Amino acid sequence: VTDLLAVDTVVVDIDGTTYAMTNVGGDLYQSSTIDTSTLGLGVHTYTVTATDGSGNSDSDSDIFVVIDTTDPTITAVDASPNPAELGADVTFSADVTDDIAVESVVLTINSVEYDMVYDGTNYTVTVNSSDIGVGTWEYTVTATDSFFNEAEMNGTLEIVDAEAPVITVLGSDPETVEAGTTYTDAGATALDNLDGNLTDSITTTSDVDTSVV
């Protein structure tokens, strides 16, 4: 800021609030540090006005942008039940906060993404374990705010197959065999909820003696 004689005052107006500026050397004037959290995010207009001792003044305006550069905070992630049996529903939860606002929270497991919803306490989503599969899986919760700052936290889920195959014995029950004849086992079928048809894997043992009535 310059003047033919002397500059009397220099002020800066930001969104209707006026702040005094002081000379810090030569023609340079500077305001005190302004807490941007009191201004809010987004575009702000500021106007610098200089006045001399005769009351003459001049102003110039420009804009600046307040942005959020702080990542969200994920305190904890959880999956319940864990371990989970194949076919059971698993509820994933995450404790997420942000200094402004959380935009989205996404669960990724087995390369599939699921949107998590705030329930008043945590962000949650329920996934059927059949959609994930048997095994030990690492999952990732990703939180994003409106300025695309991100945070991630990982967890582990184990899904087990606890259901035995179902064997169906073929033939009559009870089976009637004429004494002294050869007994032929009618066989059986086996089905598994995970591995499907296991009939070819069945092994049989028999101690039927048709000579004994």
Side-chain angles (χ1 to χ4, degrees):
V1 178
T2 60
D3 188 75
L4 291 176
L5 297 178
V7 176
D8 186 28
T9 62
V10 179
V11 297
V12 58
D13 180 282
I14 304 175
D15 296 343
T17 300
T18 300
Y19 304 88
M21 303 183 74
T22 57
N23 185 273
V24 293
D27 298 332
L28 182 62
Y29 284 76
Q30 181 176 291
S31 71
S32 59
T33 301
I34 299 171
D35 184 2
T36 57
S37 65
T38 64
L39 301 177
L41 299 173
V43 178
H44 299 270
T45 299
Y46 68 94
T47 301
V48 176
T49 302
T51 306
D52 64 17
S54 300
N56 302 305
S57 65
D58 189 26
S59 299
D60 195 12
S61 299
D62 205 343
I63 62 171
F64 67 95
V65 181
V66 177
I67 63 173
D68 175 22
T69 60
T70 303
D71 293 336
T73 299
I74 304 177
T75 305
V77 296
D78 185 54
S80 181
N82 190 7
E85 292 187 8
L86 186 67
D89 285 338
V90 179
T91 298
F92 297 86
S93 62
D95 185 355
V96 182
T97 56
D98 187 70
D99 59 340
I100 305 298
V102 176
E103 183 74 16
S104 66
V105 180
V106 176
L107 164 74
T108 303
I109 184 167
N110 195 16
S111 301
V112 179
E113 294 184 349
Y114 302 89
D115 291 329
M116 304 183 76
V117 179
Y118 188 62
D119 64 4
T121 303
N122 294 312
Y123 288 83
T124 65
V125 66
T126 298
V127 181
N128 190 277
S129 60
S130 296
D131 295 332
I132 303 171
V134 171
T136 300
W137 301 95
E138 182 178 272
Y139 62 88
T140 302
V141 173
T142 304
T144 307
D145 66 18
S146 55
F147 277 79
F148 304 103
N149 301 303
E150 286 189 355
E152 290 186 351
M153 181 174 284
N154 297 326
T156 302
L157 169 68
E158 182 182 6
I159 299 177
V160 297
D161 176 18
E163 186 174 339
V166 175
I167 298 177
T168 302
V169 177
L170 304 178
S172 302
D173 183 18
E175 188 83 29
T176 300
V177 181
E178 185 177 347
T181 63
T182 300
Y183 170 71
T184 302
D185 187 351
T189 61
L191 293 175
D192 185 71
N193 64 319
L194 179 63
D195 296 320
N197 192 334
L198 297 177
T199 301
D200 291 342
S201 300
I202 295 176
T203 59
T204 60
T205 58
S206 175
D207 58 359
V208 175
D209 184 355
T210 59
S211 65
V212 178
V213 178

